[in-house]
Amino acid sequence: MTRLTVAVRDTAARIDAATPAHRDRAVDALRAFAVLGVVLGHWLVTALVADGRSLRTASPLQDMPWLAPVSWAFQTLAVFFLVGGHVATRSYASARERGTPYRRWLHARLARLFGPVVAVLTLWTVVTLALLLSDADYGTVRTLVKLALSPMWFLLVFAALTAATPLVARLHPLWPLAVVLHVDVLRFGLGAGDGLGWLNLAAGWLVPYTLGAAWTRGELEGRTAGWVLLGGGTAATAALVAWAGYPAAMVGVPGAEVSNLNPPTLAAVTFGLAQCGLALLLRDRLRHAMRSPVAWAAVALVNLSAMTVFLWHQTALMATTAALLPAGPLPGLHTVPDGLGWVAARLPWLIAFVLALAVCGAAFRSWERGGGRRRVRPSKVVRAHHPMTERAPHV
């Protein structure tokens, strides 16, 4: 056994021993898998194509729509909101029991949510100004900034739902689902303006968020609810794609007339219901798997860096692509994603993206634990069982 293996096992054992016995490790596992799913999904379906001295975005789903199942595996936003609703409602109930005022509770949660954003906005403000002053192609600058800041939409929606937690904690998921249904009927069936669809930005993600609240209330403990959500969501999504004309891809595709995600459509929401059902059904297996100290330590570390991973993964992709432009165009990195050759070439680049993200994490992870003031050991955070380690994943 190597020294590194011994060190890893010792660290994992300390984290495992520091974890409170009552902690539901399945929640942390779902959060970690959801974060990694979104990151891998973006890295696989987002391409920066070198076109002369400019960069533009492209997606393999444009020329290979049969790859849509990739988006089914990695579009895990509904799981984020499921866990987010569960954790937020549980946290608020705990705060009320302690006599913590709503304002203080909300301030603490939003500060942890938006604190790490400062570093991203600061860096990209500097980068944008530098690019514009260097006479870089405006289209390229716009593309890069849009990719870097695109995750911010989630923070705004999640902040709004967090603020509304006391009001929506007992809201039945069928109510926001009905809003999504009516919006899509008006939008696609009766020719209402596309602007109406933006109502679904709140209503669509409120569906899994309220499912998380129902989880907190103990209404989803049996396996029946999971099977109903999985089966019903899958059947509804298949019907909407097959007969109602909804796109098969559950992510946005450049140039597509309709996106299931921007804003969310009924198909995206029913697909999310299926995901939530699967997540609920996997809880017991995840709890069993998390008994392994090494597996639990890996999940705990991902959770401690969830915001950093989410906020910086697109920057890692862009930094790698831009840094290697002088050597390009490199297959799978700068080339058009129009065939299986691109997919095969793309996979090895994931390692480079991971390394670039690790550099970003080393530089900015401290912002996730108090704005860069101090470093916090994973075992200490887990031992303390502080609410900040229970927040929803920030995608």
Side-chain angles (χ1 to χ4, degrees), residues 246-308:
Y246 284 83
M250 291 299 150
V251 297
V253 179
E257 185 177 350
V258 176
S259 167
N260 272 322
L261 196 57
N262 192 28
T265 64
L266 181 61
V269 174
T270 57
F271 176 76
L273 290 176
Q275 282 188 319
C276 290
L278 181 60
L280 294 172
L281 291 172
L282 290 176
R283 285 177 297 182
D284 288 340
R285 294 196 177 194
L286 289 174
R287 288 166 185 146
H288 178 76
M290 291 302 105
R291 293 176 186 173
S292 165
V294 174
W296 169 240
V299 164
L301 291 173
V302 171
N303 275 276
L304 288 171
S305 301
M307 272 288 283
T308 301

Side-chain angles (χ1 to χ4, degrees), residues 45-50 55-59 62 139 142-144 146-147 254-255 318 337:
V45 302
T46 303
L48 280 172
V49 178
L55 291 172
R56 60 180 176 85
T57 55
S59 171
Q62 290 175 279
R142 184 176 181 275
T143 296
L144 297 179
K146 184 177 180 180
L147 278 179
M318 290 183 285

Side-chain angles (χ1 to χ4, degrees), residues 314-327:
Q314 294 284 51
T315 298
L317 181 153
M318 290 183 285
T320 304
T321 304
L324 295 175
L325 268 176

Side-chain angles (χ1 to χ4, degrees), residues 82-97:
L82 172 73
V83 175
H86 174 54
V87 171
T89 50
R90 188 174 61 183
S91 172
Y92 181 65
S94 177
R96 291 189 64 185
E97 291 177 0

Side-chain angles (χ1 to χ4, degrees), residues 53-321:
R53 59 188 294 266
S54 65
L55 291 172
R56 60 180 176 85
T57 55
S59 171
L61 298 176
Q62 290 175 279
D63 293 298
M64 295 176 285
W66 47 270
L67 285 179
V70 172
S71 69
W72 305 345
F74 295 109
Q75 203 283 76
T76 51
L77 288 174
V79 178
F80 288 143
F81 284 95
L82 172 73
V83 175
H86 174 54
V87 171
T89 50
R90 188 174 61 183
S91 172
Y92 181 65
S94 177
R96 291 189 64 185
E97 291 177 0
R98 298 192 307 269
T100 303
Y102 165 76
R103 180 181 298 179
R104 185 185 304 172
W105 171 84
L106 181 62
H107 179 271
R109 296 193 70 81
L110 294 188
R112 293 192 297 270
L113 187 67
F114 286 106
V117 175
V118 175
V120 178
L121 294 178
T122 301
L123 176 69
W124 275 98
T125 298
V126 174
V127 169
T128 302
L129 290 175
L131 289 173
L132 292 175
L133 292 174
S134 65
D135 198 29
D137 177 71
Y138 178 77
T140 297
V141 176
R142 184 176 181 275
T143 296
L144 297 179
V145 173
K146 184 177 180 180
L147 278 179
L149 301 185
S150 59
M152 302 303 174
W153 73 262
F154 170 86
L155 301 182
L156 296 176
V157 175
F158 189 78
L161 295 183
T162 299
T165 295
L167 297 177
V168 304
R170 304 194 66 83
L171 182 68
H172 197 284
L174 284 177
W175 288 108
L177 180 61
V179 173
V180 175
L181 171 62
H182 283 82
V183 166
D184 273 23
V185 168
L186 291 172
R187 182 183 172 196
F188 299 122
L190 301 179
D194 287 341
L196 185 66
W198 290 104
L199 289 175
N200 286 349
L201 190 60
W205 300 122
L206 190 55
V207 173
Y209 194 87
T210 52
L211 279 173
W215 178 1
T216 300
R217 297 193 299 268
E219 298 173 5
L220 303 178
E221 287 305 313
R223 295 182 65 81
T224 301
W227 282 114
V228 169
L229 288 170
L230 176 59
T234 300
T237 305
L240 290 170
V241 171
W243 296 307
Y246 284 83
M250 291 299 150
V251 297
V253 179
E257 185 177 350
V258 176
S259 167
N260 272 322
L261 196 57
N262 192 28
T265 64
L266 181 61
V269 174
T270 57
F271 176 76
L273 290 176
Q275 282 188 319
C276 290
L278 181 60
L280 294 172
L281 291 172
L282 290 176
R283 285 177 297 182
D284 288 340
R285 294 196 177 194
L286 289 174
R287 288 166 185 146
H288 178 76
M290 291 302 105
R291 293 176 186 173
S292 165
V294 174
W296 169 240
V299 164
L301 291 173
V302 171
N303 275 276
L304 288 171
S305 301
M307 272 288 283
T308 301
V309 170
F310 168 64
L311 288 172
W312 292 98
H313 73 278
Q314 294 284 51
T315 298
L317 181 153
M318 290 183 285
T320 304
T321 304

